[in-house]
Amino acid sequence: MKIIITTLFGLESPTKGDLLDRGYEKDRITVNDGVVTLEGDYLDVARANMWAKHAERIFFETGEFACGASDDPDTNFNAFFEGCRAIKWSDFIPANWAFVVNGFSRKSKLYGVPALQKLAKKAIAESLAVSRGLSVDTLISENEELGTVKIQFGIVNDTCRFMVDTSGAGLHKRGYRPLTHEAPIRETLASGMLTYAKYRPYGNEALVDPFCGSGTIVIEAARTACGIAPGRDRHFAYEALPYIGKGPYQRALEEARDNEDTEPMDDCYFYGSDIDPKAVESAKNNAESAGVGKLVKFRLADAAKMTPEYLEKLTSLPRQLVITNPPYGGRLMTPEDADKIYRLIGHNYLTRDGFCKKGLRLSVITPENAFEEATGYRPDKRVKLYNGAIVCTLSNYFKLGDRNNGNR
């Protein structure tokens, strides 16, 4: 079957990397905008939910067909209805279970999603009735207490794909963050930042977030270093489906537990700080819940004091990756106040020429190109990402300055 893995835009390539890391061959993986497709079975559905740390949700495809290409709206709606009804829905919706339909349409003449959702519901009901030997106009019983199947359709370029949701809650909800500070970053986006910052666990480099908030970036880094599967601490919708059940989940969970190593080390490699004591307390509690409380250090501190010299003494390591999601203008403060923070970050960690100071790498995510515009420093690599509905740029600074200027 086709397993459909949805992502935030910009995180498709890291999601493919998640699958490659689990041993899947490249020829089983296809990447498109916001979607990664894996050829697999129900065990692979379970493994994808367990291990895809950059993904938002996992589906499996139930059917695909052409619709929306005609200039006649009635023809397009009929093609949609007949294509949906032709799918053998009795294979995917257990008897008397409830089902809900959501969807979207892009680059197609077939639009009007609310109407399409109602039409799909009618087509599915007719399909179920026929499969049970009933007339097409028979009212199908739906008992939410038995369970609910969440169905999604997507129409892109006049091709419609129907899918069943296997995740339930979005995969960014790892299960370890019951406490959140203001405007917390998604776990999936934090993982994407780490990937694009070329973060490598341990070695001679510490990871530092001077605006840690609820600690998500630091915690995701520590969990990655320990080999902790992102889905280890939660359950998924597919477990309740009788034709999948808990067997695949148990196998995926056993694999996850065999992979991790959370033994405390002599050195600490993961540091976070924030000026808000509530944020620091939240970060500590979240780290404990995530299973990495003994591997990370959070402290109350003004970001202005987190200079390279201070960081070297704090971490006792020769190199630091400073990676952060500072407050945004219009999100937690005025644009002018946000610009002051961006300039502070630039002053602390970059030279006057915009290179990294000795022993440092810097990755900062801000709306659009706000960090570069505030500081005037051109990053070595920009990555366009989405923080919720906010279009952001991850600005990565990797290069050191001229050796003759003492920046190396």
Side-chain angles (χ1 to χ4, degrees):
M1 69 173 65
K2 289 183 180 179
I3 300 168
I4 313 301
I5 306 170
T6 61
T7 75
L8 296 174
F9 286 104
L11 295 183
E12 300 91 344
S13 180
T15 298
K16 178 181 179 180
D18 293 339
L19 300 176
L20 294 174
D21 288 345
R22 299 269 54 87
Y24 290 105
E25 299 86 356
K26 290 181 180 180
D27 59 5
R28 294 174 62 182
I29 305 169
T30 305
V31 179
N32 293 297
D33 288 346
V35 175
V36 177
T37 304
L38 171 68
E39 295 286 345
D41 56 22
Y42 288 138
L43 177 58
D44 298 311
V45 166
R47 296 185 79 228
N49 274 288
M50 184 65 67
W51 287 103
K53 65 183 176 182
H54 299 92
E56 291 300 306
R57 201 172 286 276
I58 312 289
F59 302 83
F60 66 81
E61 183 182 292
T62 60
E64 185 177 84
F65 52 88
C67 64
S70 174
D71 291 329
D72 178 25
D74 288 340
T75 299
N76 290 331
F77 276 99
N78 286 336
F80 175 82
F81 181 84
E82 294 300 334
C84 177
R85 186 169 63 172
I87 297 170
K88 193 176 179 183
W89 287 106
S90 59
D91 287 347
F92 310 113
I93 303 174
N96 298 318
W97 275 43
F99 62 96
V100 295
V101 182
N102 291 298
F104 64 87
S105 179
R106 301 191 192 111
K107 301 178 182 178
S108 175
K109 296 173 185 175
L110 189 57
Y111 54 90
V113 170
L116 290 170
Q117 289 173 174
K118 292 180 180 178
L119 199 61
K121 182 88 175 181
K122 183 175 185 294
I124 294 169
E126 288 193 10
S127 173
L128 291 173
V130 171
S131 70
R132 297 170 187 171
L134 306 171
S135 63
V136 295
D137 58 353
T138 302
L139 184 64
I140 295 297
S141 173
E142 295 185 69
N143 187 345
E144 293 182 358
E145 292 183 0
L146 292 176
T148 300
V149 178
K150 294 184 178 179
I151 298 166
Q152 173 98 16
F153 67 81
I155 303 172
V156 180
N157 293 322
D158 301 327
T159 297
C160 181
R161 168 186 279 165
F162 271 87
M163 305 167 285
V164 169
D165 178 19
T166 70
S167 297
L171 295 181
H172 68 279
K173 296 183 179 180
R174 309 286 204 227
Y176 68 74
R177 198 171 69 172
L179 300 173
T180 57
H181 191 53
E182 290 180 314
I185 191 171
R186 282 195 177 197
E187 293 87 334
T188 46
L189 180 56
S191 291
M193 290 175 61
L194 293 165
T195 297
Y196 282 120
K198 300 180 180 179
Y199 166 68
R200 296 293 180 271
Y202 304 128
N204 291 317
E205 184 179 65
L207 180 139
V208 182
D209 182 356
F211 298 90
C212 72
S214 57
T216 307
I217 295 173
V218 177
I219 292 169
E220 286 293 309
R223 281 169 64 97
T224 295
C226 294
I228 297 176
R232 183 198 68 174
D233 301 321
R234 55 164 289 174
H235 287 273
F236 306 95
Y238 71 80
E239 297 173 59
L241 296 172
Y243 49 87
I244 302 181
K246 289 189 175 295
Y249 171 78
Q250 291 298 335
R251 291 176 64 182
L253 184 60
E254 287 172 10
E255 177 189 5
R257 287 173 174 167
D258 289 343
N259 187 79
E260 65 186 52
D261 180 3
T262 57
E263 288 296 319
M265 300 187 66
D266 293 335
D267 297 321
C268 179
Y269 292 85
F270 313 101
Y271 294 83
S273 63
D274 202 283
I275 200 170
D276 184 346
K278 292 183 179 179
V280 175
E281 187 63 25
S282 175
K284 290 178 179 179
N285 289 331
N286 289 338
E288 286 292 336
S289 179
V292 294
K294 296 180 180 179
L295 303 175
V296 301
K297 290 185 178 180
F298 292 106
R299 63 178 54 208
L300 185 67
D302 187 332
K305 298 180 179 179
M306 303 291 282
T307 62
E309 297 77 17
Y310 181 86
L311 293 183
E312 188 170 0
K313 291 179 181 178
L314 174 67
T315 67
S316 300
L317 291 170
R319 295 190 59 81
Q320 290 84 39
L321 166 61
V322 177
I323 181 167
T324 192
N325 172 44
Y328 299 169
R331 183 183 68 156
L332 298 177
M333 55 178 57
T334 67
E336 292 75 20
D337 288 337
D339 280 356
K340 291 179 182 178
I341 289 177
Y342 303 154
R343 289 193 291 270
L344 166 66
I345 294 170
H347 173 76
N348 266 4
Y349 307 118
L350 300 175
T351 69
R352 292 180 180 179
D353 297 321
F355 293 104
C356 295
K357 290 186 177 180
K358 183 179 179 180
L360 292 177
R361 294 194 297 131
L362 175 65
S363 291
V364 184
I365 189 169
T366 59
E368 297 291 350
N369 296 313
F371 182 78
E372 183 178 351
E373 292 172 358
T375 62
Y377 298 147
R378 182 183 179 87
D380 298 309
K381 183 175 178 61
R382 296 187 194 91
V383 183
K384 184 178 179 181
L385 296 170
Y386 284 77
N387 191 355
I390 304 173
V391 182
C392 293
T393 298
L394 178 66
S395 300
N396 292 313
Y397 297 83
F398 300 139
K399 296 178 182 177
L400 294 169
D402 190 326
R403 186 191 305 271
N404 296 326
N405 291 332
N407 293 328
R408 289 185 180 275

